[in-house]
Amino acid sequence: MLIKNELIEIKTSEGISIHNITLRIEKILTATAIQNGQVLVFSRHTTTALAINEDEERLLDDVKAHLEKLAPSSGKYLHNDLHLRVVPPDEPMNAHSHLMAMMLSSSEVIPVVDGKLALGTWQSVLFFDLDGSRTRSVLVQISGE
Amino acid sequence: MLIKNELIEIKTSEGISIHNITLRIEKILTATAIQNGQVLVFSRHTTTALAINEDEERLLDDVKAHLEKLAPSSGKYLHNDLHLRVVPPDEPMNAHSHLMAMMLSSSEVIPVVDGKLALGTWQSVLFFDLDGSRTRSVLVQISGE
Amino acid sequence: MLIKNELIEIKTSEGISIHNITLRIEKILTATAIQNGQVLVFSRHTTTALAINEDEERLLDDVKAHLEKLAPSSGKYLHNDLHLRVVPPDEPMNAHSHLMAMMLSSSEVIPVVDGKLALGTWQSVLFFDLDGSRTRSVLVQISGE
């Protein structure tokens, strides 16, 4: 079995931003000799997440509105009482971002068949920053033979 | 390591339908010699999803009502302004189906122990079509030894 | 490829309880010789779930409130009409717990790099009992080389 680990860095923008990382994952896959196996995409932060869905601009705006509806950034959250916890001076009030992350996924696993991601026609791997802007990292692990 | 890939086809019904595909996955597993490893079940559409839960008819109706409550099909969505995008003539207004899919999972990974799916007593692998009726496909990848 | 399967038992408390099982998973990993691969953590019940996020007490209370808001325990659910199903005498009215489980994840997959879980700084593996108190089990499968 071959295993290849590689970090992807993503520069994000204010608030919620959604980034299609499919091509970057495909590039890492193509550079290996793996024909059959899987790609594990792993978000390494507690206010970022992954999903596999359609990369259509207006749909992604609907997704942002949907997340904001279910976990409003203006809501009252215990985690945001920063004076009650030991926090660094630049700690953001981001409880809603954590809640949004938990409704999405920390990782996605995609089968590799004949050297390619076995995604459906409209599927893209989407990285969500739910508390930007920052530089974020995603670990891509490809395993197989 | 052995790796076996197989597609399952599922004919779905109108609106939201939920299909227990556990037996079909077990059948694919039994046909391999794999005793120890995992099954990756991967939904290949952007308005279908997977979950592992109890296959109890009335609970599944509760799940449908819950999804409809969180992402109402009657809601106003940018993705549904079909005149603002280049779309095929039969494009459905299905933003809510995409949102529901993202609240569930694109894939499920189930451990295989002693040649069997290591599911708990009440767990079934459930396939959701959130925008039926259609013929859908799920990729089952079994890997192990 | 090496594969190690081990069950973790978790004693939970009333209602929703959230348990950080990261250290227990790390202990199982360290006892193997696996340097490179992945850990599959699999919840074996239909009213338990997993998530990877920050183990901060007040945030976890926010998560409980958020789940209760989206799937209220006081809601009206078909699954709770126990007289309409064949059930054991101690069957709980727990439709909301099933719905909460489906919004979270049945499993988490974490890359192993250089013999360690490749978690980000603030990430912990969290086990949710959504219908306690009970003794629950989680299957940890470590595979790699």
Side-chain angles (χ1 to χ4, degrees):
Chain A
M1 190 174 59
L2 294 171
I3 301 177
K4 167 80 179 175
N5 297 306
E6 198 160 319
L7 274 181
I8 286 180
E9 285 216 338
I10 301 158
K11 284 193 194 302
T12 68
S13 26
E14 276 302 305
I16 304 180
S17 60
I18 307 177
H19 306 260
N20 185 342
I21 58 172
T22 315
L23 289 176
R24 296 178 71 177
I25 296 167
E26 281 173 351
K27 209 167 169 181
I28 299 172
L29 172 58
T30 308
T32 72
I34 293 169
Q35 290 300 305
N36 216 355
Q38 60 180 230
V39 176
L40 166 58
V41 188
F42 188 77
S43 148
R44 301 185 69 241
H45 310 274
T46 54
T47 54
T48 65
L50 293 155
I52 294 178
N53 213 282
E54 186 180 347
D55 180 15
E56 194 277 304
E57 195 185 341
R58 295 171 66 83
L59 176 62
L60 300 187
D61 283 339
D62 288 329
V63 177
K64 291 177 195 176
H66 174 70
L67 292 171
E68 172 70 26
K69 188 185 83 174
L70 298 188
S73 52
S74 60
K76 220 187 137 9
Y77 303 105
L78 300 174
H79 184 62
N80 289 349
D81 290 333
L82 304 183
H83 63 288
L84 297 179
R85 306 191 274 130
V86 178
V87 293
D90 60 345
E91 178 77 5
M93 307 225 315
N94 63 3
H96 66 287
S97 315
H98 290 277
L99 299 178
M100 290 173 180
M102 278 183 259
M103 288 189 287
L104 297 165
S105 301
S106 292
S107 64
E108 292 291 347
V109 188
I110 307 148
V112 173
V113 181
D114 297 334
K116 293 198 178 112
L117 296 180
L119 292 169
T121 314
W122 301 103
Q123 288 183 307
S124 290
V125 184
L126 304 173
F127 174 79
F128 289 67
D129 193 337
L130 303 156
D131 185 33
S133 64
R134 312 209 206 177
T135 299
R136 302 291 207 165
S137 70
V138 169
L139 181 53
V140 177
Q141 181 180 74
I142 307 181
S143 57
E145 53 191 26
Chain B
M1 189 174 60
L2 294 171
I3 300 177
K4 168 79 180 176
N5 297 306
E6 199 160 319
L7 274 181
I8 287 180
E9 285 217 338
I10 300 159
K11 283 193 193 302
T12 67
S13 27
E14 276 303 305
I16 304 179
S17 60
I18 306 177
H19 307 260
N20 186 343
I21 57 171
T22 315
L23 289 177
R24 296 179 70 178
I25 296 168
E26 282 173 350
K27 210 167 168 180
I28 299 171
L29 172 59
T30 308
T32 72
I34 293 170
Q35 290 300 306
N36 215 356
Q38 60 180 230
V39 176
L40 165 59
V41 188
F42 188 78
S43 147
R44 300 186 70 242
H45 311 273
T46 54
T47 54
T48 65
L50 293 156
I52 295 179
N53 213 282
E54 186 180 348
D55 180 14
E56 194 276 304
E57 195 186 339
R58 295 172 66 83
L59 176 62
L60 299 186
D61 283 339
D62 289 329
V63 177
K64 290 177 195 175
H66 174 70
L67 292 170
E68 173 70 26
K69 188 185 83 175
L70 298 188
S73 53
S74 62
K76 219 187 138 10
Y77 304 104
L78 300 174
H79 185 63
N80 289 350
D81 289 334
L82 303 184
H83 62 289
L84 297 179
R85 304 192 276 130
V86 178
V87 292
D90 60 345
E91 178 76 6
M93 306 226 313
N94 62 3
H96 66 287
S97 314
H98 289 278
L99 299 179
M100 290 172 180
M102 278 183 258
M103 289 189 286
L104 298 165
S105 301
S106 292
S107 64
E108 292 290 348
V109 188
I110 307 148
V112 172
V113 180
D114 297 333
K116 292 196 180 115
L117 297 179
L119 292 169
T121 315
W122 301 103
Q123 288 182 308
S124 289
V125 184
L126 304 173
F127 174 80
F128 288 67
D129 192 337
L130 303 157
D131 185 32
S133 63
R134 311 207 207 177
T135 299
R136 302 291 207 165
S137 70
V138 170
L139 181 54
V140 177
Q141 180 180 74
I142 309 182
S143 57
E145 54 192 24
Chain C
M1 187 173 61
L2 294 171
I3 300 178
K4 167 80 179 176
N5 297 307
E6 198 159 319
L7 274 181
I8 287 179
E9 285 217 338
I10 301 158
K11 283 192 195 302
T12 67
S13 27
E14 275 303 304
I16 305 180
S17 59
I18 306 177
H19 307 261
N20 185 343
I21 58 173
T22 315
L23 289 177
R24 296 179 70 178
I25 296 168
E26 281 172 351
K27 209 168 169 180
I28 299 171
L29 173 59
T30 308
T32 72
I34 293 170
Q35 291 300 306
N36 215 355
Q38 59 180 230
V39 177
L40 166 59
V41 188
F42 188 77
S43 147
R44 299 185 70 242
H45 311 274
T46 55
T47 54
T48 65
L50 293 155
I52 294 179
N53 214 283
E54 185 179 349
D55 180 14
E56 194 277 304
E57 195 185 341
R58 296 172 64 85
L59 175 62
L60 300 187
D61 283 340
D62 287 329
V63 177
K64 290 177 196 176
H66 174 70
L67 292 170
E68 173 68 27
K69 188 184 83 174
L70 298 188
S73 52
S74 61
K76 218 187 138 11
Y77 303 103
L78 300 173
H79 184 63
N80 288 350
D81 289 335
L82 303 183
H83 62 287
L84 296 179
R85 305 191 276 130
V86 179
V87 293
D90 60 345
E91 178 76 5
M93 306 226 314
N94 62 3
H96 65 288
S97 314
H98 289 278
L99 299 178
M100 290 172 180
M102 277 183 259
M103 287 190 287
L104 298 165
S105 301
S106 292
S107 64
E108 292 289 349
V109 187
I110 306 148
V112 173
V113 180
D114 297 334
K116 293 197 177 112
L117 296 179
L119 292 169
T121 315
W122 302 103
Q123 288 183 307
S124 289
V125 185
L126 304 173
F127 174 80
F128 289 67
D129 193 338
L130 303 157
D131 185 32
S133 64
R134 311 208 206 179
T135 301
R136 302 292 206 165
S137 70
V138 170
L139 181 53
V140 178
Q141 180 180 74
I142 308 181
S143 57
E145 54 190 26

